[in-house]
Amino acid sequence: IEEAVRILRQRAQKKGSVKENRLSYDHLEFAPQWQYTSPEIGCHYANGVIRQKLWFSCPSGNATGEDISRLEPILERVITEGGFEGKEYVRIIDYSQIAKTSFSTREQYAGLIKKLNRRFNCQPAMTYICGANPFVKASLLVFTKFLNQNFIFLDSVSQAFEAAEEADDSALPQKE
């Protein structure tokens, strides 16, 4: 996991210098308890947060239904420890490293996300999808209404952070 986080940070830095803004990759916190690695097949799910504002994820490998079940307590911790309970937040997901995953596994994952958002009374104000291939884009569009989320598809993580930073304040999480 630490190696994956290091690689993700290097990638973001290579795609342009990070300016000092409130939503930048460099501000992400990657707590060890928020990371998942499948012991069997090498599926990874990296999570980083800017507390109460932004949740970043980078799945990689080929997830199974068992992986989605194991992911639930990890995502619960991301939501609670990241300060997203009862709040809207910005979501960025980097799908550039995902392998082929079955439609039923994607459906199970979408159900998990919907269940957690409902349980913790939280919801992405905007979801930026990065690096998704055409198959992933199509499957995500199928779940758009089911998840009640707005997706914006971009090529890179750096573009997503730029778009999130430039978004209208009304689309960003409410300040307390």
Side-chain angles (χ1 to χ4, degrees):
I1 297 289
E2 291 172 9
E3 179 66 12
V5 169
R6 186 186 65 73
I7 290 169
L8 289 171
R9 286 191 191 279
Q10 285 177 343
R11 250 203 223 150
Q13 289 173 351
K14 285 180 186 175
K15 295 187 181 192
S17 61
V18 179
K19 60 183 179 182
E20 278 303 311
N21 30 7
R22 58 192 167 144
L23 300 178
S24 75
Y25 189 90
D26 282 350
H27 291 131
L28 288 173
E29 174 187 349
F30 289 90
Q33 68 271 21
W34 301 339
Q35 314 312 316
Y36 172 76
T37 299
S38 169
E40 292 86 23
I41 59 170
C43 168
H44 302 285
Y45 198 93
N47 291 287
V49 303
I50 299 173
R51 292 180 186 268
Q52 300 182 358
K53 294 180 183 177
L54 187 142
W55 176 4
F56 170 82
S57 295
C58 182
S60 62
N62 187 10
T64 65
E66 181 69 24
D67 291 313
I68 303 306
S69 297
R70 292 177 184 160
L71 194 57
E72 184 170 355
I74 293 168
L75 299 185
E76 287 174 347
R77 285 193 297 272
V78 171
I79 291 169
T80 57
E81 295 173 14
F84 301 120
E85 279 187 90
K87 297 191 180 337
E88 282 193 333
Y89 57 92
V90 175
R91 185 88 160 97
I92 297 176
I93 308 171
D94 179 4
Y95 280 106
S96 65
Q97 299 179 49
I98 197 79
K100 292 183 179 178
T101 301
S102 72
F103 186 80
S104 63
T105 300
R106 293 177 194 275
E107 188 175 38
Q108 184 180 353
Y109 174 75
L112 172 61
I113 295 299
K114 184 173 183 165
K115 177 173 89 172
L116 293 175
N117 284 338
R118 191 172 43 240
R119 180 185 311 155
F120 293 105
N121 190 32
C122 59
Q123 184 73 24
M126 185 60 64
T127 301
Y128 297 93
I129 306 293
C130 313
N133 65 41
F135 177 74
V136 171
K137 283 181 185 178
S139 63
L140 287 168
L141 288 172
V142 167
F143 295 116
T144 300
K145 287 197 187 263
F146 173 74
L147 290 172
N148 193 29
Q149 291 184 21
N150 298 311
F151 293 140
I152 295 179
F153 294 94
L154 298 166
D155 293 331
S156 69
V157 171
S158 60
Q159 287 176 335
F161 275 95
E162 288 172 18
E165 180 63 26
E166 293 172 3
D168 293 334
D169 283 345
S170 62
L172 293 174
Q174 299 299 312
K175 297 180 181 108
E176 293 184 5

